[in-house]
Each structure stands twice: as structure tokens, then as C-alpha cells.
Amino acid sequence: MEKQRRRWWRRARRVAYVLTGLFVGVPAIAFAIGYLVWDVRSPQEVLADLDKTVVIQYADGGELMRVVPPDGDRTFTPYALIPRKLVDAIVAVEDPTFWTNGGFEPTGIARAMVTGVGGGSGITQQYVKNSTGEDDATLFRKFKELVLATKITDRQSKEQIFESYVNIISFGRNTHGPAAAAQAYFGKPLADISWSEAAFLAGLLQAPYGHDPATAGPEQAARRWTYAANKLAERGYVSAAERSTMTYPRVLDPHETRAGRSSYSDSHIRQQVLTELEAQGWPLTRLRREGLAVRTTLDRAAQGRAERAARDRLTGEPAELRAAVVSVSPGDGGVAAYAGGNWGVTDYAVTPRRPGTAFRPVVRVAEFRARADDPPVVTGPKIRQTAYDAGIPEFLDGTRTLTAPDGVHIASSIAEGTYRLRPLDLAGVHATFANGGLRVTPHFVAEVRRGDEVVWRWDTPPVPALPREAVLQADAAPGEYGTSDAWMAGASASMATVVWVGGDEERPRTDWQGVPLTGATLPADIWREVMSPEPATR
């Protein structure tokens, strides 16, 4: 019996040695081989690859616009010329242990192994990821990233690593590097930025187009700036007194700088396309690196009609009037036409406005659904849920829509259209109605192509959401709506279009003849022009 026990323990130890070798020895050998074979390119080499043009196309493959790096957007800034306040802000927000870690944060890696997220946010790893061009979420890519992060930490100073990272990372607005970013957002030399401006730039890096006020709106940008500024104080880079004096900086419109486009309308489309792609894992850096083409859902003829109608119909009208036009395909949610306005950086197609009676079709669907309830009473929560089911986003920039400022209560006036909605989202609702209650998600990008190869394609099918009988009764014909804002909304079998006309301030308005502005006036004229090749109703 004793001999059998000793024999069993010898076997157990041998198995343990083998397993230890497999789980420790093999990765160690692989790490050593990778350390010798793999290398990281210099930031200058990376920047050279980022100069490739990205072509944005119409749905038919014709060229809509090009995203070409303008002169000056690739200026390399040596570490010695980067203001210390910007270095501190980026470290505070992106990698608080940067100066002491070995290229990565072990706790972050452990979290990534368990949850499948995180672990790649450190400055060194971000530099490795951007320099290698490998973005796939695989264990091999993460392993290679860790090997290279360790290697460059062994061979380069932290200052060199930071210099490389900050010069190839995207700051949005078609810029790479801090010097280009300072010009694009503030119109000033990098050396002249303030603590507040440094916090703004540091906050951008997580999602440049998602935190740019020209893309996401001033409220989202201000929230991200507050987060970055607070991190500076929490981590001791500024005192509490200094933090109390910091205010959100003045950020220039894109068209006031070299980051501008030929027209505001082009800029609105470009920003929507790039923001959508970034959310899908295709940031501008990746598109440029591979010289990819982006095929949108925009219909060339419909886009031309939308821009022409909004421009021509408001010519000669009061100067304060603004307009937005959005057309969405009921079949798949592709945005066929998008005109956010040519009056400035504000994109009126994604600026929330009170829909007033334009919200009435949603209420009618809620009333139809309530017939099956006991008692059959239409309440605020039921109306809101119907709106969500129809396609109104439940959250925008972290804030719940169709809800009182406290984030909880719903006023009974929701049925009167008092809660603000974006024209883009309302167009999506009418596309859902036109699709027989199958909810579609408005989107701008159909596919990403590398030559003739499709490397990514939109693949979100419509979702059954509303009773077909309800939407047919609720939206049987185009509607002319108006309060202080005037709306026209309706759809054919192939295109749902929403037109908004109003101003920057919500108040009653008139046309040049003094006729009160309603949906039956200017919006109806624009809507008919946009829908002219289509049947007037379903």
C-alpha cells in the first residue's frame, strides 16, 4: 500500500511538472521568441502610412468626398516641445501609472482576460497598437502587444515612448499629433495652450469624433472635459484651487481652422460617417492606414434634391430661418439624404427640437396598443415606450430621452410633443412606420472596402416592433405639423422624409410675407421637392 501511494505521488508530481511547463514554460519561450523577432516602427514611419486618402462614396460607388490630410496636420513634435501641462493631462486621463509601469498595467490585463474588455488602454500599448496597425480583438494580438510593450519599455525612455505615442494618435478633425490638434481646436500654437485646453485635448483621445463638440454637441464635449479636468485634480497635477478656476475652453468651429471643409453640409455628413465608423471599430487612423473606401447609404439624386430644396426655398426668407432634411430607407434604415444646414457648425439634423403635433403619429400607435390593456388607458410611460419601440433612442449622450430633467418622471404633456427629438430620429420612426412596424436603425455607412474587397458591411436587419395595423392607421398620409418649429413628415414605400424649419430660438415665426410658419408652408414645399420622384403617399 505504501509503495502504491509513493508511486501515485510520483506520477502526480510528473503531471504537475508537465502542466507547469505547458502553462509557464511555453508562454515564456513564445515571449522570448516574440521579443527577438517582433519590432515597433518609428512614429515617422507610422505617420508616413497615415497619409493615405480615404474616399467616401455615394451608395452607387460615385465619389462623395475625400478625407485628405491637410498641410500641417502631420507636424512631428519632439517631447521637449510638448507643454508639460499636456503631458500631465494625457497621463492623468489615459495611463496614471505610465511613468512607473513596465509597459502595461497587470491588473488591467487580468481584467481583460476575465471580462474580455479593458487592458489595452495604457499609453505604451496604445502606441504599439497604432504603430503595428493590428486592431483585431484576439488573444494573439494582445500577447504580441504585451511583448512589444515590454520590449520598447526596456529599450526606450518613457519620454521617447510618450513622444512616439502622442505624435501618431488621432485627436480628431483629421489631425495627428498635439501641434495639429492645438491649431484645429484652438487656432493657436501648442506652446500657448492653457490647463483647460490641455484637459480638453486629453479627453478627446478616448474617442476623438465622439467628444468633439462639432460632432457630439457641446454638452457631451463639456462632460468629457469635466472628467479630464477632475482627473488632473484627483491625481495631483493641479491643486483644488487651480481646478476651481478652470473653465471649459472656447473651441473653434472646424471651418475657422485648417480642419474645415468646403461646406458645412459636407462637414456634417463627414462627421456623421466618421463617428459611426469609429463606433463600429473603424477609426479614421485605421481607414487612412489601409487607404480604404467608405460606401455610404446616401443616394446621389436624393441628396442633391435635399440640399437644393433647403437652400432654394429659404432664399429670400427671414435670415434667422434654418432647415434640416433627413430621408431614410424603410427597408434597411440607410440614410438616403441628409442636409443639416449650411449656416455654421451646428448640424440641425441632429439638434433636438420640440416636435409638437409631429409626435402625434407615435401617440396614435400607443393608443392602438393600449386597447389590449386593462384598463385601456394611454399613459406617459406607454407613449414613451412606443416611441422607443418605433426607433427613438432611449439614451443620447448618457441622458434618457423623453423624460423630465430629473431623469425619472414623464409629464402628461409628452402626448403634445413637448420633449425634444432629433429630425434624424423622427425620420427613423417614419421609416419604421413605412416598413409595417419593423424597426430600422438609421445609419450612414453601407460598407468599407479595400479595393474590390468588402472588409466590413452593415448587417443589422429590421426588428419587429409595432403592430402593422397600428402604424398603418397612425401614419396613413404625410403630416404637416407646427408649433414654434414647423415640421413635415411622411413616407413612400421607398423613402421616409422629415423636414424641420425653425430657428436657433424656439418662438413663433413667419415667412417673408408675414404668414405664420407651419408645416404646410416652407416645410411642405421642401418635402415635396425631396420626394418628387416618389409617390406622394403610401
Side-chain angles (χ1 to χ4, degrees), residues 136-179:
D136 297 332
T138 64
L139 287 175
F140 176 77
R141 195 269 293 173
K142 182 63 64 177
F143 175 73
K144 182 176 181 180
E145 197 175 280
L146 295 181
V147 172
L148 289 174
T150 302
K151 184 173 183 177
I152 64 172
T153 300
D154 289 343
R155 296 189 174 187
Q156 298 180 22
S157 68
K158 288 289 187 176
E159 289 77 9
Q160 288 175 304
I161 294 171
F162 186 93
E163 175 187 86
S164 298
Y165 160 79
V166 82
N167 276 288
I168 68 170
I169 199 73
S170 172
F171 282 84
R173 293 196 180 181
N174 213 16
T175 65
H176 288 262

Side-chain angles (χ1 to χ4, degrees), residues 18 24 42 59 72 83 121 136 159 175 183 194 259 271 287 344 398 413 449 479 522:
V18 171
V24 178
S42 71
S121 60
D136 297 332
E159 289 77 9
T175 65
Q183 287 291 339
S194 65
Q271 297 283 24
L287 300 173
S413 60
R449 305 172 69 92
L522 301 180

Side-chain angles (χ1 to χ4, degrees), residues 26 69 81 108 134 137 159 164 177 180 192 246 248 258 275 278 286 309 359 383-384 444 454 496 536:
V26 172
L81 298 182
E134 297 178 3
E159 289 77 9
S164 298
D192 295 342
M246 292 172 63
Y248 181 73
R258 289 179 299 181
T275 299
E278 189 170 62
R286 187 176 185 182
F359 193 64
I383 294 173
R384 183 176 68 179
F444 290 81
V454 176

